[in-house]
Structure formats: structure tokens, C-alpha cells
Amino acid sequence: MTNTIPPRPQTPLPLATAATPAAPQSPAAAAPSTPAQTDSVTLSAAAQTSTQLLGAARAADGINHAAVAQIRSAIQSGSYSVTPENLAQAIATVMKGAK
């Protein structure tokens, strides 16, 4: 992956002295005489993968729809049960992460 940054016109700053203020230059007079340079950036494969993963994470809604469907089905069929120990463990895990 390579991104090229287009050249930006470089206008030199006018030099001014205390005795004589600088006169404004016309755009044609301020144009540089050297050709414009371009910069480019090449990302490594790891950086490209990171960029793709970050984009996918930002696009995701954060919900595991398959797990939700499985739990919903178990609740509807009456087969979903939670032991007090498992519930306590889940609460403790969430509370540790909230600190």
C-alpha cells in the first residue's frame, strides 16, 4: 500500500526590514523555479493488516449474533440455566474489569 502526497506549492516568505516594508508579490512572481517534489509512504504488510483489522473493528457492531441466537433459543426452549457459581464468577469478572 503506497500513499502519494501531492505537491504543495511553496511560496517563499518575503523578506522585510524595519526601514522598508515588504511589497506583496503577485502569484506568478512567487512561484518557485524548482520542480515540485512529491512524498510517498509505503506501509509494511503488518501495518496494512493492522489497518484492515482496525477498519473491520470500527465497522463491527460489537455483538456476537450467533451467540445471542443460541442463548435466545435456549431461553425459549427452557433449557437455559445458570448456576449461582457461574453467575457470581461472571459478576466478579465484570467488576474486576470495571476498575
Side-chain angles (χ1 to χ4, degrees):
M1 171 183 230
T2 300
N3 290 336
T4 301
I5 302 167
R8 195 172 127 191
Q10 305 247 340
T11 54
L13 296 175
L15 298 175
T17 62
T20 57
Q25 295 181 347
S26 69
S33 60
T34 59
Q37 296 179 346
T38 59
D39 295 330
S40 65
V41 177
T42 302
L43 299 177
S44 68
Q48 291 178 25
T49 301
S50 294
T51 301
Q52 291 171 347
L53 290 173
L54 183 59
R58 286 182 176 159
D61 59 6
I63 299 172
N64 183 341
H65 294 283
V68 170
Q70 183 180 9
I71 293 170
R72 181 176 287 142
S73 174
I75 291 171
Q76 289 174 347
S77 69
S79 63
Y80 185 78
S81 66
V82 177
T83 64
E85 293 81 14
N86 289 346
L87 179 60
Q89 182 62 44
I91 291 171
T93 301
V94 170
M95 295 303 290
K96 285 180 185 177
K99 290 182 181 181

